[in-house]
Amino acid sequence: MNTTNSTDSTKSADTTWTGMVPFEDTALAVTDTGGAGIPVIYLNGAYASKVHWRRVTTDLGPGFRHITFDERARGKSKLAADYSFEACMRDIDAVLDARGVDRPLLVGWSYGALLGVHWASRNPARALGVVGVDGPYPVGWTDEAGHEEVRTVFRRMKPMMPLVRPMGLAARFSAETHADLAIESHLLHAAVGPILDSLTVPVRYIVASGEAVGSRDDLQEQMRKALDPVLARNPNLKVSAKVSSNHGSILRKDSPAVAAAVREVAALERKGR
């Protein structure tokens, strides 16, 4: 693991550690509440930061060890040369290694949920389980027409990106890189079916029911329905709750449902599954 010692750390009386984890050509902003509870690592939406998890960690309280971090060029983390999905996978390992965590429970929202199931698939003996917050769903745009639509959206968004960063809708890289990452995500989602079929750890979904701003023709509801055959094939995957919020507001409006799913997976671990 190419990780050096954590730097710029602060430690409060409640054992919470906040600092930067140097890794490869970047440094990742990390907060770790510490303690003896089950370690939970939170994986953000594609362009979001760790601040979006505040309601969930508050709902869960001090009985868990909460580890949140900003992926490269998101939040307070530094820029890098590589923003690919595999780079984000390496970031997870870097944070876990730096904080001395071997067996985490992974909680991911959207893109972060895709990261979570891939990590669990690659590390089945280490993952305590996964909570997927409105994702991942085994469907995505794989044709060039869909990819061009993605590129067009981000070209149009370019002037607004500094304004929408606090909402988790943009990172600190170019519009072209945003589009590349989104296209890669669509391809990975379309191919995630075999990964979901192979998972041997408990996975709990929190499924939104509203359409996100800018969505059309019930597109997101169609994506969610693509999960049904996977649930029928693999009993380790279950829907913990279907909530009324949409994809973008789910962590803000339905954090108690996310917290309940985390407790559900943690209870399975305590009972030895």
Side-chain angles (χ1 to χ4, degrees):
M1 179 70 65
N2 183 25
T3 308
T4 59
N5 293 332
S6 304
T7 61
D8 301 327
S9 63
T10 59
K11 191 173 183 179
S12 64
D14 65 357
T15 74
T16 295
W17 181 92
T18 298
M20 302 298 290
V21 172
F23 178 61
E24 297 179 349
D25 63 344
T26 187
L28 307 171
V30 179
T31 296
D32 177 1
T33 63
I38 286 177
V40 182
I41 187 165
Y42 298 87
L43 310 175
N44 311 323
Y47 315 115
S49 70
K50 60 182 179 173
V51 301
H52 292 83
W53 295 105
R54 286 176 179 169
R55 286 180 173 84
V56 175
T57 59
T58 298
D59 290 340
L60 282 168
F64 291 84
R65 178 179 177 181
H66 305 289
I67 302 168
T68 56
F69 74 101
D70 295 331
E71 281 118 353
R72 47 188 75 191
R74 287 83 152 177
K76 296 182 179 179
S77 290
K78 304 300 183 182
L79 301 178
D82 185 359
Y83 298 111
S84 67
F85 183 83
E86 288 301 324
C88 290
M89 289 290 290
R90 297 194 301 273
D91 289 348
I92 297 170
D93 286 323
V95 171
L96 293 174
D97 185 67
R99 301 310 302 154
V101 173
D102 183 57
R103 296 190 70 226
L105 194 165
L106 303 103
V107 182
W109 168 41
S110 188
Y111 184 79
L114 184 66
L115 288 166
V117 297
H118 271 265
W119 196 92
S121 175
R122 299 179 192 186
N123 301 275
R126 294 179 60 194
L128 299 183
V130 181
V131 172
V133 183
D134 211 26
Y137 302 117
V139 63
W141 290 338
T142 59
D143 62 323
E144 186 52 39
H147 296 171
E148 185 54 38
E149 184 169 344
V150 170
R151 295 185 187 102
T152 299
V153 167
F154 282 103
R155 282 196 294 267
R156 291 174 178 169
M157 278 185 60
K158 186 174 182 179
M160 299 181 290
M161 283 182 173
L163 300 177
V164 299
R165 278 177 194 147
M167 295 180 281
L169 300 177
R172 297 193 319 279
F173 39 69
S174 70
E176 292 77 13
T177 299
H178 279 80
D180 289 343
L181 193 154
I183 290 167
E184 181 188 41
S185 175
H186 273 283
L187 293 171
L188 287 165
H189 275 93
V192 78
I195 297 291
L196 298 176
D197 286 344
S198 71
L199 288 170
T200 57
V201 301
V203 179
R204 296 295 180 267
Y205 277 80
I206 307 298
V207 179
S209 56
E211 287 290 313
V213 175
S215 183
R216 64 182 191 278
D217 301 327
D218 296 324
L219 176 62
Q220 290 186 314
E221 187 59 26
Q222 294 172 35
M223 293 171 63
R224 293 162 187 148
K225 288 180 179 177
L227 183 63
D228 291 342
V230 181
L231 297 174
R233 291 194 299 266
N234 187 345
N236 293 309
L237 279 62
K238 300 181 185 299
V239 173
S240 179
K242 186 167 184 177
V243 296
S244 61
S245 55
N246 66 27
H247 186 77
S249 65
I250 190 168
L251 292 181
R252 176 166 49 87
K253 293 185 176 181
D254 285 299
S255 61
V258 180
V262 174
R263 293 190 189 98
E264 185 179 340
V265 175
L268 293 173
E269 171 61 24
R270 293 186 181 110
K271 292 177 181 177
R273 298 186 191 171

